[in-house]
Amino acid sequence: MSEPAVFVVIRDGEKRVYHDRWAHMFLYRHLLWGPESLDQWLAEEDEDGEFDFDICGGVVVNFDEKRLLWDGDDMDLELPPVGKVLDRLLQCSWPGYSIEYASRGIADLAAAAGENLREDSHEEFSEDFALTNELPDELSLRPETISEAAGIDDDDEFDDEPHDDDDDDDDDSFFDDDELRAWVTIINQDGSVRHRYLGEIPLDLIFHETSVIADLLDLEPAEVPPESVVREGIWFDLANRTIGVWGRPIARAILPHLQEYWTNWDVRWADEGYQSQCGVSGPSGIPMSDVEALAKLTPKILSTQRVDLSSLLGAMGSSLKRTAVRATGCFALVLAAPVVLLGLIAGNMKAAAITIAIVWMGIAIIFKFVAWRFKRKFLDGALVDLTKQDSETGCRSPVAGPLDPVSRREQLETLLAEANLPSLAEIEPHVGDGDNAIGFLS
């Protein structure tokens, strides 16, 4: 239960390797302050010597070639506009460097570090795509089929006839309003446009399985989504046999597979992403602004809180306690309703109020007792030993860059101005609870 990352520094022809047990989560917090700040932060602990493949991601910094390659974890980076504003900030803090996201993950990091990645043998995909074949790393976590990506149970079957896009009966949609998705657009021979939603672009679509277009049309009709919920997109122009694809950094890794298996089709990466797909489908859509994108990142960038098992468990415990308090309050109100009703009928609201007070006091005592027992059981458990070990290992500062909150804020403000991005005063009103990951902004 950790997020290990490798850090490789190549300088004057020599390679230094470091590891951090939790740095993969919100890794850009360590990168955003420039190459020297990162190197100083890493040097606070002794180097490890060897590249460990048992990692989630990491960074390779080549000072000699002025190249930065990185792979970090944050759900918000699945939104392309968030990744774009982060790229602009990194370009300003790493002037003169070639900055690239490792779309193939560990494979790209190992290659850049000059390590021999353990090669796992796998067969080439045949024309009849077999899911039993071992997949390349960049495809291994994708859903296998369109039905799986659309949230349709394996036992369900597609309808015999395509859905009517004028049918408004889409109350059973698999996607909530704020749920991330892949946006699929199909432009028919006659120019009519149809939209569909998937969780991600699945393997059977990538490898051009038979009837994938028909399977897409059999899904629930959809509208043009706001950019703030689209992790990747793809469109099919059937008349011109063209395909456009775009999305988060790891989506670029599927481009060569699409180009290989969609033979006689012109498959291209759409640099303008959401705007390009809106352009071919007609509507203007709802773009995501730089302010909205930066609101996803700034709480984590400004935080100097260490990400470790203790902080994660603390955040989970606080969230669980808030949920329990709300649930207990609702339960108390439900119990109070019939007592109030009986008091009104009997004309004795004083007795009803006393009864409600006694009941609520009893519920409060029981809640406190259960919370105490839960906390006591946790304190007696093995998780405490793990959190102590986690906090006692290493002497590196919790984050790279300025640790003083005022200095960290001032430096980020300067960086935003250099990147021609909105100021913190413009960004902070848009920061919501969902963007304030694990209680980062106090």
Side-chain angles (χ1 to χ4, degrees):
M1 187 179 177
S2 62
E3 292 276 343
V6 65
F7 293 83
V8 180
V9 177
I10 301 173
R11 199 166 202 164
D12 298 328
E14 296 184 355
K15 180 168 65 177
R16 290 180 281 127
V17 180
Y18 304 88
H19 290 88
D20 190 292
R21 189 173 176 182
W22 288 96
H24 187 240
M25 187 178 292
F26 315 129
L27 187 143
Y28 54 82
R29 292 200 302 158
H30 310 298
L31 303 181
L32 207 59
W33 315 102
E36 296 302 333
S37 289
L38 176 66
D39 199 17
Q40 291 170 12
W41 178 71
L42 292 172
E44 291 178 9
E45 288 187 5
D46 295 334
E47 58 182 291
D48 297 326
E50 294 185 0
F51 190 103
D52 186 353
F53 286 90
D54 189 17
I55 53 174
C56 296
V59 178
V60 177
V61 183
N62 192 320
F63 283 89
D64 299 336
E65 298 179 2
K66 288 192 172 294
R67 182 188 179 197
L68 169 66
L69 180 72
W70 71 285
D71 168 23
D73 179 33
D74 184 350
M75 182 66 74
D76 290 325
L77 291 180
E78 294 211 349
L79 290 170
V82 178
K84 286 181 179 179
V85 295
L86 179 60
D87 284 343
R88 289 169 65 177
L89 290 172
L90 288 173
Q91 291 290 348
C92 289
S93 59
W94 292 71
Y97 276 74
S98 169
I99 302 171
E100 183 181 354
Y101 190 87
S103 59
R104 296 190 307 131
I106 299 171
D108 285 344
L109 294 173
E115 301 286 341
N116 293 320
L117 182 65
R118 297 169 300 195
E119 292 292 340
D120 296 320
S121 60
H122 60 271
E123 301 175 18
E124 291 294 331
F125 290 101
S126 62
E127 189 171 326
D128 297 322
F129 171 55
L131 294 174
T132 54
N133 289 344
E134 192 165 352
L135 293 164
D137 289 343
E138 64 269 20
L139 301 179
S140 61
L141 297 180
R142 288 187 174 269
E144 296 179 355
T145 63
I146 288 172
S147 59
E148 181 185 347
I152 300 173
D153 293 336
D154 292 338
D155 294 335
D156 294 342
E157 294 183 357
F158 287 108
D159 296 335
D160 292 334
E161 298 294 333
H163 278 281
D164 182 357
D165 283 62
D166 295 328
D167 186 1
D168 294 330
D169 186 17
D170 59 354
D171 293 338
D172 297 328
S173 173
F174 175 66
F175 298 94
D176 296 329
D177 290 343
D178 58 351
E179 187 170 356
L180 298 187
R181 67 204 68 184
W183 172 29
V184 182
T185 298
I186 301 161
I187 306 166
N188 290 342
Q189 301 279 357
D190 60 0
S192 60
V193 178
R194 302 174 189 269
H195 303 291
R196 301 292 185 264
Y197 294 154
L198 300 171
E200 294 180 273
I201 298 174
L203 298 179
D204 60 351
L205 191 153
I206 294 171
F207 292 102
H208 198 181
E209 281 294 273
T210 306
S211 78
V212 287
I213 297 295
D215 289 346
L216 286 170
L217 291 173
D218 281 340
L219 298 176
E220 290 282 350
E223 302 292 336
V224 174
E227 189 175 14
S228 60
V229 298
V230 183
R231 56 161 57 101
E232 56 193 15
I234 188 170
W235 71 81
F236 299 86
D237 185 336
L238 304 185
N240 297 309
R241 297 182 70 81
T242 60
I243 297 174
V245 62
W246 60 276
R248 52 201 168 142
I250 63 173
R252 189 178 284 272
I254 72 173
L255 179 63
H257 299 288
L258 286 166
Q259 291 171 331
E260 179 180 358
Y261 286 92
W262 285 80
T263 53
N264 300 320
W265 286 71
D266 181 13
V267 184
R268 298 180 181 178
W269 182 263
D271 289 325
E272 296 302 316
Y274 182 82
Q275 289 79 5
S276 296
Q277 192 157 347
C278 286
V280 299
S281 62
S284 58
I286 306 176
M288 188 177 189
S289 68
D290 289 344
V291 167
E292 292 173 301
L294 286 163
K296 303 285 186 183
L297 298 176
T298 50
K300 289 158 275 191
I301 293 171
L302 288 173
S303 170
T304 57
Q305 179 180 340
R306 187 186 301 275
V307 178
D308 55 21
L309 187 57
S310 177
S311 61
L312 292 177
L313 289 176
M316 291 167 57
S318 298
S319 177
L320 182 61
K321 186 174 181 179
R322 286 194 299 269
T323 303
V325 169
R326 293 192 188 104
T328 303
C330 292
F331 179 66
L333 289 175
V334 170
L335 288 180
V339 178
V340 172
L341 183 60
L342 288 174
L344 289 172
I345 294 173
N348 191 352
M349 287 302 297
K350 182 177 180 181
I354 293 173
T355 302
I356 292 172
I358 294 172
V359 170
W360 283 1
M361 187 177 298
I363 291 174
I365 292 172
I366 293 171
F367 179 85
K368 289 286 187 181
F369 176 75
V370 171
W372 174 79
R373 286 297 302 267
F374 183 83
K375 185 176 181 180
R376 180 74 178 222
K377 189 167 184 64
F378 171 79
L379 291 174
D380 291 339
L383 280 176
V384 174
D385 294 334
L386 289 176
T387 54
K388 285 182 178 178
Q389 291 174 16
D390 204 38
S391 61
E392 291 171 358
T393 55
C395 57
R396 189 180 287 138
S397 301
V399 289
L403 296 180
D404 173 61
V406 175
S407 299
R408 196 172 184 87
R409 186 182 180 88
E410 289 176 349
Q411 193 162 330
L412 177 58
E413 196 78 81
T414 300
L415 200 57
L416 289 167
E418 290 178 1
N420 197 25
L421 289 168
S423 67
L424 287 173
E426 297 172 271
I427 296 166
E428 287 175 335
H430 295 267
V431 176
D433 292 338
D435 306 322
N436 194 4
I438 68 172
F440 269 168
L441 257 190
S442 58

